Amino acid sequence: MCGIVGYIGDKQALPIVIKGLERLEYRGYDSAGILIYDQRKKEVYFEKQPGRIKNLTRVIDPDTPGTLGIGHTRWATHGQVNKANAHPHYDCQKKIFVVHNGIIENFREIKSSLIQRGHKFSSETDTEVFPHLLEELIKEGLSYEQAIIQSLKKIRGSFAFLIFNKDYPDMIVAARLSSPLILGLGDKEFILASDQTAIGLITNKIVYLNDGDIVFVNKNKYEIKSFLSEDTKNYEGIIDFSSAETEKGRFQNYMIKEIFDEPKAVEDTLRGRLLIEEGDVKLGGLDRVASRLKEIDNILITGCGTAFYAAKLAEYFFEEYAQISTKAEIASELRYKMPVVSEKTLLISVSQSGETADTLAVIKNFKTKGILTIGITNVVGSSIARLVDAGIYSHAGPELAVASTKAFLAQTVDLILLMIYLARQRKINVGEAKEILTELDQIHKKIQETIVDNDQKADSLAEKYLFAKDFLYIGRKYNFPIALEGSLKLKEISYVHAEGLASGEIKHGPIALIEEGFPTIIIAPQDSVYEKTISNLEEIKARKGKIIVITTKGNKSLEKLADDVIYIPETLELLSPLLSIVPLHLFAYYFAKKLGRDVDRPRNLAKSVTVE
Ligand code: AGP
């Protein structure tokens, strides 16, 4: 997704904006641009380049003076990846410059009416209509502020804008609707950015901006107005992550660091929330909806990609332990379905970034129906976190690799805690809850053990199977969503196709794929469905397929049947996904690395998909 950064203050803006954009690289992009205003010479300097930020810095004089700057990393939605389409975009007089994250859905009709009034465009983008629209309204006699408000009202879609106008050289104007934007408060300096990883360059004090907010910032003060409603209020907050967590440290890239952080992510997410002796959990974020939660009798859990697989996993254990009818739905599908809901329905949304457009759209839709909404997110103050009625934060720390790894385990843990919370409001007996919580309290050690046991193994298996152009991943019950997540991880960073399947489905068609040498990864810990899954293994073996099996430590019975065996520690069936996913994350990482992929920023992908 696009990243935007703006700085105004007493320092030189160029290095700050560039560093801010580098902090946002993990969001995914294909071109970059920057504008610096030199107050002394009263000149605008701007440059934009396709490709990485280093292509931009290569052509910029590092001593370019100016204490006001805006920058952008573009993830193409409309128009080719080239210099003309990179941001900032400007009006005919090159006075008004804009960077934008989002989509202007009605840009074609606006563009054609502006062309009829003589405006000349230099790009194929939707964004470029905005500076020209501003220019046109100012020409018609509106004040700058009114032109901004009217322009924002004319466009349909989503946006986080930073606007610079040479006629107002001491000010940056920002506006947001459905796309993320945060204001950082420094001492006589301000920074605006798409997310807090860039804000942390200047300050840890932030203002959360609401949909409809317009922010007028100069180096001494900021003012917020809304083009949507009169009575919005803004909350100030403090970013609480240490910058150390956003650096790679001893690791070659963020993805492997974040896999090795999985034990800590789980431990931090559990911290302070287990009441083992009482067989209960403490989830302060749910206090204000506790009585409503007692009444619900059906649950919809939604998310996208990896977050949806955590939701799919929860579908099983909400029904098994809390005995509440539960359905996991892909957010981009749920938006268009007509599920049967009532005042006793609970919508749970899972999202690492808290900014995914499809997931946000579902929440907005369900809120209009008065449905209770709970969010599970990893980013404090994210749009989802502020939209839902109540929430449970994951404490996985910033996840910067595009491929979600540690956040998946943290989300799963949050969902298990929520299941216990709901189950204790209903039928689950204390003994069963205590057993789960006691094991959950120690599971981070078993995750660590799984990493230590399998890091080298995953590396050598990646080498051994590097020939493969396609994989099947199969699992049953709690490990079916793990098969889905494992296959997504492989394909999204290695670009090699992989398909996740419910293992019982293999004989209903996919087994036709099996031929000599075709690799299948089978997730088969010794659990209630183990025997069934081993019969699938034998069906594949009979057709000379290659088999990598994940099973419980000590179970030597598969060594003759499978080509390769990965062992994970014994644990409760409900918790086995927290272990079985770890070697699959490691395998995907090493496989992609051996193919020379950019594992932190895979092609075509964005860390948070804030457009539909
Ligand atoms: C996961 O590896 C992918 N990068 C992607 O599927 C991601 O999980 C999905 O876009 C949802 O993102 P969210 O959790 O921030 O909502």
Side-chain angles (χ1 to χ4, degrees), residues 230-259:
E230 294 312 311
D231 58 354
T232 59
K233 50 181 177 301
N234 293 85
Y235 298 100
E236 293 193 2
I238 299 286
I239 306 176
D240 65 0
F241 69 78
S242 67
S243 61
E245 287 191 77
T246 64
E247 300 304 334
K248 288 175 211 159
R250 66 184 172 88
F251 295 95
Q252 219 179 342
N253 45 52
Y254 285 114
M255 186 175 176
I256 191 66
K257 174 182 183 295
E258 288 159 7
I259 294 172

mmCIF file of all heavy atoms in Angstrom, residues 230-259:
data_model
loop_
_atom_site.group_PDB
_atom_site.id
_atom_site.type_symbol
_atom_site.label_atom_id
_atom_site.label_comp_id
_atom_site.label_asym_id
_atom_site.label_seq_id
_atom_site.Cartn_x
_atom_site.Cartn_y
_atom_site.Cartn_z
ATOM 1 N N GLU A 230 -19.613 18.122 12.608
ATOM 2 C CA GLU A 230 -19.153 19.248 13.427
ATOM 3 C C GLU A 230 -18.458 18.754 14.702
ATOM 4 O O GLU A 230 -17.525 19.322 15.176
ATOM 5 C CB GLU A 230 -20.365 20.123 13.813
ATOM 6 C CG GLU A 230 -20.980 20.810 12.585
ATOM 7 C CD GLU A 230 -19.916 21.487 11.714
ATOM 8 O OE1 GLU A 230 -19.062 22.235 12.249
ATOM 9 O OE2 GLU A 230 -19.888 21.203 10.489
ATOM 10 N N ASP A 231 -18.994 17.603 15.252
ATOM 11 C CA ASP A 231 -18.532 17.331 16.635
ATOM 12 C C ASP A 231 -17.526 16.192 16.722
ATOM 13 O O ASP A 231 -17.631 15.305 17.532
ATOM 14 C CB ASP A 231 -19.758 16.993 17.505
ATOM 15 C CG ASP A 231 -20.493 15.782 16.907
ATOM 16 O OD1 ASP A 231 -20.066 15.347 15.793
ATOM 17 O OD2 ASP A 231 -21.417 15.269 17.517
ATOM 18 N N THR A 232 -16.530 16.218 15.790
ATOM 19 C CA THR A 232 -15.525 15.141 15.959
ATOM 20 C C THR A 232 -14.569 15.545 17.075
ATOM 21 O O THR A 232 -14.297 16.720 17.274
ATOM 22 C CB THR A 232 -14.670 14.973 14.673
ATOM 23 O OG1 THR A 232 -14.038 16.221 14.415
ATOM 24 C CG2 THR A 232 -15.497 14.525 13.503
ATOM 25 N N LYS A 233 -14.078 14.559 17.785
ATOM 26 C CA LYS A 233 -13.026 14.897 18.754
ATOM 27 C C LYS A 233 -11.819 14.004 18.446
ATOM 28 O O LYS A 233 -11.962 12.908 17.923
ATOM 29 C CB LYS A 233 -13.496 14.734 20.195
ATOM 30 C CG LYS A 233 -14.170 13.443 20.556
ATOM 31 C CD LYS A 233 -14.580 13.505 22.049
ATOM 32 C CE LYS A 233 -15.317 12.253 22.446
ATOM 33 N NZ LYS A 233 -16.540 12.027 21.663
ATOM 34 N N ASN A 234 -10.666 14.568 18.756
ATOM 35 C CA ASN A 234 -9.450 13.825 18.443
ATOM 36 C C ASN A 234 -8.730 13.426 19.720
ATOM 37 O O ASN A 234 -8.731 14.175 20.684
ATOM 38 C CB ASN A 234 -8.523 14.682 17.564
ATOM 39 C CG ASN A 234 -9.148 14.912 16.191
ATOM 40 O OD1 ASN A 234 -9.938 15.830 16.030
ATOM 41 N ND2 ASN A 234 -8.847 14.051 15.248
ATOM 42 N N TYR A 235 -8.164 12.233 19.705
ATOM 43 C CA TYR A 235 -7.468 11.747 20.900
ATOM 44 C C TYR A 235 -5.965 11.804 20.683
ATOM 45 O O TYR A 235 -5.488 11.460 19.616
ATOM 46 C CB TYR A 235 -7.864 10.291 21.180
ATOM 47 C CG TYR A 235 -9.336 10.146 21.456
ATOM 48 C CD1 TYR A 235 -10.214 9.704 20.458
ATOM 49 C CD2 TYR A 235 -9.862 10.515 22.690
ATOM 50 C CE1 TYR A 235 -11.574 9.607 20.695
ATOM 51 C CE2 TYR A 235 -11.230 10.410 22.936
ATOM 52 C CZ TYR A 235 -12.082 9.958 21.925
ATOM 53 O OH TYR A 235 -13.427 9.870 22.156
ATOM 54 N N GLU A 236 -5.275 12.286 21.700
ATOM 55 C CA GLU A 236 -3.821 12.219 21.643
ATOM 56 C C GLU A 236 -3.385 10.916 22.300
ATOM 57 O O GLU A 236 -4.058 10.387 23.170
ATOM 58 C CB GLU A 236 -3.200 13.427 22.360
ATOM 59 C CG GLU A 236 -3.483 14.729 21.640
ATOM 60 C CD GLU A 236 -2.622 15.884 22.149
ATOM 61 O OE1 GLU A 236 -1.779 15.639 23.040
ATOM 62 O OE2 GLU A 236 -2.817 17.012 21.666
ATOM 63 N N GLY A 237 -2.276 10.371 21.808
ATOM 64 C CA GLY A 237 -1.797 9.119 22.401
ATOM 65 C C GLY A 237 -0.281 9.089 22.397
ATOM 66 O O GLY A 237 0.360 10.012 21.885
ATOM 67 N N ILE A 238 0.267 8.018 22.959
ATOM 68 C CA ILE A 238 1.736 7.864 23.003
ATOM 69 C C ILE A 238 2.075 6.541 22.322
ATOM 70 O O ILE A 238 1.468 5.515 22.632
ATOM 71 C CB ILE A 238 2.245 7.818 24.478
ATOM 72 C CG1 ILE A 238 1.901 9.128 25.189
ATOM 73 C CG2 ILE A 238 3.737 7.509 24.528
ATOM 74 C CD1 ILE A 238 2.748 10.321 24.780
ATOM 75 N N ILE A 239 3.013 6.576 21.378
ATOM 76 C CA ILE A 239 3.433 5.321 20.746
ATOM 77 C C ILE A 239 4.285 4.583 21.766
ATOM 78 O O ILE A 239 5.189 5.144 22.373
ATOM 79 C CB ILE A 239 4.328 5.587 19.506
ATOM 80 C CG1 ILE A 239 3.634 6.523 18.520
ATOM 81 C CG2 ILE A 239 4.695 4.281 18.844
ATOM 82 C CD1 ILE A 239 4.540 6.892 17.337
ATOM 83 N N ASP A 240 3.961 3.279 21.969
ATOM 84 C CA ASP A 240 4.719 2.634 23.058
ATOM 85 C C ASP A 240 5.676 1.564 22.574
ATOM 86 O O ASP A 240 6.059 0.699 23.292
ATOM 87 C CB ASP A 240 3.723 2.034 24.061
ATOM 88 C CG ASP A 240 2.912 0.916 23.403
ATOM 89 O OD1 ASP A 240 3.163 0.661 22.203
ATOM 90 O OD2 ASP A 240 2.066 0.311 24.072
ATOM 91 N N PHE A 241 6.047 1.613 21.271
ATOM 92 C CA PHE A 241 7.020 0.576 20.912
ATOM 93 C C PHE A 241 8.407 1.195 20.864
ATOM 94 O O PHE A 241 8.593 2.310 20.469
ATOM 95 C CB PHE A 241 6.667 -0.093 19.591
ATOM 96 C CG PHE A 241 6.822 0.799 18.378
ATOM 97 C CD1 PHE A 241 8.072 1.053 17.838
ATOM 98 C CD2 PHE A 241 5.721 1.405 17.793
ATOM 99 C CE1 PHE A 241 8.205 1.874 16.738
ATOM 100 C CE2 PHE A 241 5.861 2.234 16.694
ATOM 101 C CZ PHE A 241 7.101 2.467 16.160
ATOM 102 N N SER A 242 9.385 0.386 21.280
ATOM 103 C CA SER A 242 10.767 0.907 21.237
ATOM 104 C C SER A 242 11.264 0.766 19.804
ATOM 105 O O SER A 242 10.954 -0.196 19.127
ATOM 106 C CB SER A 242 11.643 0.055 22.145
ATOM 107 O OG SER A 242 11.713 -1.238 21.563
ATOM 108 N N SER A 243 12.072 1.714 19.347
ATOM 109 C CA SER A 243 12.512 1.652 17.940
ATOM 110 C C SER A 243 13.350 0.406 17.718
ATOM 111 O O SER A 243 13.411 -0.108 16.624
ATOM 112 C CB SER A 243 13.328 2.889 17.597
ATOM 113 O OG SER A 243 14.459 2.930 18.434
ATOM 114 N N ALA A 244 13.874 -0.150 18.806
ATOM 115 C CA ALA A 244 14.676 -1.375 18.637
ATOM 116 C C ALA A 244 13.848 -2.458 17.947
ATOM 117 O O ALA A 244 14.332 -3.228 17.131
ATOM 118 C CB ALA A 244 15.142 -1.878 20.007
ATOM 119 N N GLU A 245 12.520 -2.477 18.297
ATOM 120 C CA GLU A 245 11.698 -3.532 17.698
ATOM 121 C C GLU A 245 11.545 -3.325 16.198
ATOM 122 O O GLU A 245 11.124 -4.204 15.488
ATOM 123 C CB GLU A 245 10.314 -3.529 18.365
ATOM 124 C CG GLU A 245 10.349 -4.077 19.785
ATOM 125 C CD GLU A 245 8.937 -4.295 20.280
ATOM 126 O OE1 GLU A 245 8.313 -5.287 19.871
ATOM 127 O OE2 GLU A 245 8.473 -3.444 21.054
ATOM 128 N N THR A 246 11.803 -2.145 15.711
ATOM 129 C CA THR A 246 11.593 -1.965 14.266
ATOM 130 C C THR A 246 12.915 -2.083 13.516
ATOM 131 O O THR A 246 12.955 -1.799 12.348
ATOM 132 C CB THR A 246 11.005 -0.558 13.984
ATOM 133 O OG1 THR A 246 11.982 0.388 14.390
ATOM 134 C CG2 THR A 246 9.727 -0.346 14.759
ATOM 135 N N GLU A 247 13.984 -2.473 14.189
ATOM 136 C CA GLU A 247 15.238 -2.661 13.466
ATOM 137 C C GLU A 247 15.486 -4.155 13.342
ATOM 138 O O GLU A 247 15.019 -4.943 14.151
ATOM 139 C CB GLU A 247 16.395 -1.989 14.209
ATOM 140 C CG GLU A 247 16.214 -0.474 14.384
ATOM 141 C CD GLU A 247 16.010 0.261 13.058
ATOM 142 O OE1 GLU A 247 16.477 -0.237 11.997
ATOM 143 O OE2 GLU A 247 15.349 1.303 13.075
ATOM 144 N N LYS A 248 16.286 -4.556 12.352
ATOM 145 C CA LYS A 248 16.466 -5.984 12.115
ATOM 146 C C LYS A 248 17.375 -6.648 13.148
ATOM 147 O O LYS A 248 17.373 -7.858 13.299
ATOM 148 C CB LYS A 248 17.055 -6.216 10.718
ATOM 149 C CG LYS A 248 16.076 -5.956 9.610
ATOM 150 C CD LYS A 248 16.763 -6.096 8.265
ATOM 151 C CE LYS A 248 16.102 -5.168 7.265
ATOM 152 N NZ LYS A 248 16.926 -4.844 6.137
ATOM 153 N N GLY A 249 18.235 -5.849 13.795
ATOM 154 C CA GLY A 249 19.142 -6.484 14.754
ATOM 155 C C GLY A 249 20.052 -7.475 14.051
ATOM 156 O O GLY A 249 20.534 -7.218 12.958
ATOM 157 N N ARG A 250 20.232 -8.660 14.627
ATOM 158 C CA ARG A 250 21.194 -9.627 14.082
ATOM 159 C C ARG A 250 20.654 -10.372 12.868
ATOM 160 O O ARG A 250 21.323 -11.195 12.275
ATOM 161 C CB ARG A 250 21.586 -10.643 15.167
ATOM 162 C CG ARG A 250 20.435 -11.560 15.624
ATOM 163 C CD ARG A 250 20.861 -12.469 16.766
ATOM 164 N NE ARG A 250 19.740 -13.195 17.334
ATOM 165 C CZ ARG A 250 19.301 -14.381 16.886
ATOM 166 N NH1 ARG A 250 19.883 -14.916 15.844
ATOM 167 N NH2 ARG A 250 18.281 -15.002 17.460
ATOM 168 N N PHE A 251 19.390 -10.070 12.463
ATOM 169 C CA PHE A 251 18.783 -10.846 11.386
ATOM 170 C C PHE A 251 18.996 -10.187 10.017
ATOM 171 O O PHE A 251 19.128 -8.982 9.915
ATOM 172 C CB PHE A 251 17.281 -11.017 11.656
ATOM 173 C CG PHE A 251 17.005 -11.839 12.885
ATOM 174 C CD1 PHE A 251 16.773 -11.239 14.112
ATOM 175 C CD2 PHE A 251 17.032 -13.221 12.815
ATOM 176 C CE1 PHE A 251 16.534 -11.996 15.253
ATOM 177 C CE2 PHE A 251 16.794 -13.999 13.951
ATOM 178 C CZ PHE A 251 16.543 -13.386 15.170
ATOM 179 N N GLN A 252 18.984 -11.040 8.986
ATOM 180 C CA GLN A 252 19.225 -10.549 7.629
ATOM 181 C C GLN A 252 18.035 -9.754 7.126
ATOM 182 O O GLN A 252 18.175 -8.831 6.334
ATOM 183 C CB GLN A 252 19.452 -11.759 6.730
ATOM 184 C CG GLN A 252 20.524 -11.561 5.700
ATOM 185 C CD GLN A 252 20.690 -12.821 4.862
ATOM 186 O OE1 GLN A 252 20.259 -13.900 5.255
ATOM 187 N NE2 GLN A 252 21.302 -12.672 3.714
ATOM 188 N N ASN A 253 16.836 -10.120 7.559
ATOM 189 C CA ASN A 253 15.652 -9.358 7.142
ATOM 190 C C ASN A 253 14.548 -9.519 8.172
ATOM 191 O O ASN A 253 14.651 -10.312 9.112
ATOM 192 C CB ASN A 253 15.182 -9.788 5.759
ATOM 193 C CG ASN A 253 15.179 -11.285 5.633
ATOM 194 O OD1 ASN A 253 14.614 -11.967 6.472
ATOM 195 N ND2 ASN A 253 15.888 -11.792 4.637
ATOM 196 N N TYR A 254 13.487 -8.723 7.995
ATOM 197 C CA TYR A 254 12.426 -8.678 9.001
ATOM 198 C C TYR A 254 11.700 -10.012 9.126
ATOM 199 O O TYR A 254 11.328 -10.431 10.215
ATOM 200 C CB TYR A 254 11.427 -7.565 8.661
ATOM 201 C CG TYR A 254 11.946 -6.181 8.944
ATOM 202 C CD1 TYR A 254 12.181 -5.268 7.918
ATOM 203 C CD2 TYR A 254 12.238 -5.778 10.251
ATOM 204 C CE1 TYR A 254 12.677 -4.000 8.182
ATOM 205 C CE2 TYR A 254 12.734 -4.506 10.528
ATOM 206 C CZ TYR A 254 12.948 -3.634 9.487
ATOM 207 O OH TYR A 254 13.455 -2.382 9.737
ATOM 208 N N MET A 255 11.503 -10.723 7.989
ATOM 209 C CA MET A 255 10.660 -11.920 8.070
ATOM 210 C C MET A 255 11.250 -12.965 9.013
ATOM 211 O O MET A 255 10.544 -13.474 9.895
ATOM 212 C CB MET A 255 10.431 -12.541 6.694
ATOM 213 C CG MET A 255 9.442 -13.705 6.781
ATOM 214 S SD MET A 255 9.026 -14.374 5.170
ATOM 215 C CE MET A 255 7.988 -15.754 5.671
ATOM 216 N N ILE A 256 12.548 -13.249 8.863
ATOM 217 C CA ILE A 256 13.138 -14.278 9.737
ATOM 218 C C ILE A 256 13.199 -13.778 11.167
ATOM 219 O O ILE A 256 12.966 -14.520 12.123
ATOM 220 C CB ILE A 256 14.509 -14.743 9.218
ATOM 221 C CG1 ILE A 256 14.982 -16.000 9.984
ATOM 222 C CG2 ILE A 256 15.547 -13.642 9.282
ATOM 223 C CD1 ILE A 256 14.132 -17.236 9.761
ATOM 224 N N LYS A 257 13.423 -12.451 11.331
ATOM 225 C CA LYS A 257 13.401 -11.880 12.700
ATOM 226 C C LYS A 257 12.036 -12.098 13.320
ATOM 227 O O LYS A 257 11.915 -12.505 14.478
ATOM 228 C CB LYS A 257 13.723 -10.384 12.665
ATOM 229 C CG LYS A 257 13.579 -9.679 14.010
ATOM 230 C CD LYS A 257 13.869 -8.183 13.917
ATOM 231 C CE LYS A 257 13.790 -7.538 15.284
ATOM 232 N NZ LYS A 257 12.443 -7.568 15.882
ATOM 233 N N GLU A 258 11.000 -11.840 12.554
ATOM 234 C CA GLU A 258 9.645 -11.935 13.094
ATOM 235 C C GLU A 258 9.218 -13.376 13.340
ATOM 236 O O GLU A 258 8.457 -13.646 14.264
ATOM 237 C CB GLU A 258 8.683 -11.174 12.182
ATOM 238 C CG GLU A 258 8.905 -9.669 12.335
ATOM 239 C CD GLU A 258 8.418 -8.806 11.182
ATOM 240 O OE1 GLU A 258 7.764 -9.344 10.266
ATOM 241 O OE2 GLU A 258 8.689 -7.593 11.201
ATOM 242 N N ILE A 259 9.772 -14.327 12.581
ATOM 243 C CA ILE A 259 9.501 -15.741 12.884
ATOM 244 C C ILE A 259 10.173 -16.100 14.213
ATOM 245 O O ILE A 259 9.571 -16.694 15.103
ATOM 246 C CB ILE A 259 9.996 -16.668 11.759
ATOM 247 C CG1 ILE A 259 9.190 -16.433 10.468
ATOM 248 C CG2 ILE A 259 9.901 -18.146 12.188
ATOM 249 C CD1 ILE A 259 9.735 -17.164 9.238
#
